[in-house]
Amino acid sequence: MDVAEIQRALIARGYDLGPAGADGDAGPKTIAAVTAFQRSAGLVADGIAGPLTVKALQGADVSERRAEPEQPAWLTLASHDLGTVEGIGKANNPKVVAYFKDAGFAGVKDDATAWCAAFVNAMLERAGRRGSRSLAARSFEGWGIGLKEPALGCIATKKRGNSTWQGHTGFVVGANKDQIFLLGGNQGDKVSVAAFKRSEFTAFRWPADVPLPVASKLPTSIAGARSGVSEA
């Protein structure tokens, strides 16, 4: 298999190689996808498409040990915190402050600091997965492995206004042609499920050391999900 054939095999398995797709250039996204595929196939994860990797890619089963479409551990943990709200006035909710600590930012002692990325990172770390280790929401755009379509529990990033760096992040729990539903922190100053315009999203990501989820239909609406909530 040449590079383009390897890329087409990866794309067939759901790996996102970016807009260039199967361009024949073994760039960083292709190497990251090869590495993730090797992990899921039980091979040495070195990012090099050697004979064993090529043989696995040529196999008829394109699901290569993907995870079943059940709720991932980090989403289960996040669901348990639905309804957690910021403190009123100068008061700080210790549960929100704990998100910063578990995300690796123990120096943040208030819940007035934007905490959507802290929440996502904390849930991942509590579930035994390494997060982006950043409080920037859009740091997840380059984290893990990209997905072509949203999947239950994947980490989504979206832009905020016309900013090139400001954004929001959360866990996907539903989607339709116009909206993405996120379970996230700092959505209306609390952990909630909210609806956002699909056109605002910049990436859907999955932990690189976890088998990709199988394709499954997401809920197209979520009862009680609000639109237009504050993300700041």
Side-chain angles (χ1 to χ4, degrees):
M1 299 177 78
D2 60 23
V3 173
E5 289 172 329
I6 290 169
Q7 290 171 322
R8 284 193 288 272
L10 290 166
I11 291 170
R13 287 160 172 76
Y15 293 95
D16 181 9
L17 303 185
D23 61 357
D25 179 18
K29 289 188 176 182
T30 297
I31 294 171
V34 168
T35 303
F37 169 75
Q38 289 169 325
R39 288 195 187 98
S40 69
L43 301 171
V44 175
D46 58 7
I48 300 171
L52 293 178
T53 299
V54 169
K55 182 178 179 180
L57 282 169
Q58 290 174 324
D61 180 10
V62 298
S63 64
E64 95 279 336
R65 287 171 50 192
R66 286 189 176 193
E68 290 301 316
E70 59 186 24
Q71 185 164 286
W74 55 87
L75 184 58
T76 298
L77 292 171
S79 299
H80 290 165
D81 277 15
L82 278 168
T84 300
V85 298
E86 293 181 6
I88 299 174
K90 293 184 178 180
N92 296 300
N93 186 335
K95 288 191 68 173
V96 176
V97 175
Y99 298 148
F100 288 103
K101 178 178 179 293
D102 291 348
F105 296 88
V108 180
K109 301 295 186 183
D110 66 86
D111 59 17
T113 302
W115 50 280
C116 65
F119 177 74
V120 170
N121 273 299
M123 296 304 109
L124 288 167
E125 298 284 347
R126 290 176 186 180
R129 306 297 173 187
R130 182 182 176 92
S132 71
R133 304 288 172 94
S134 170
L135 293 181
R138 294 178 67 174
S139 63
F140 282 99
E141 290 177 349
W143 170 90
I145 292 294
L147 301 178
K148 291 187 293 185
E149 295 293 333
L152 181 67
C154 77
I155 292 81
T157 59
K158 65 177 291 292
K159 58 188 176 182
R160 181 141 49 95
N162 295 318
S163 173
T164 58
W165 65 273
Q166 287 183 314
H168 182 62
T169 187
F171 301 109
V172 171
V173 291
N176 57 45
K177 66 182 182 65
D178 298 314
Q179 297 175 308
I180 300 291
F181 297 90
L182 295 185
L183 193 170
N186 209 26
Q187 295 182 168
D189 297 333
K190 63 182 179 180
V191 178
S192 66
V193 175
F196 301 94
K197 293 180 180 178
R198 190 165 184 144
S199 60
E200 296 177 339
F201 283 80
T202 60
F204 302 107
R205 311 294 293 187
W206 191 259
D209 58 347
V210 178
L212 292 176
V214 296
S216 60
K217 190 173 182 180
L218 288 166
T220 56
S221 63
I222 304 290
R226 295 174 55 199
S227 300
V229 299
S230 170
E231 312 156 34

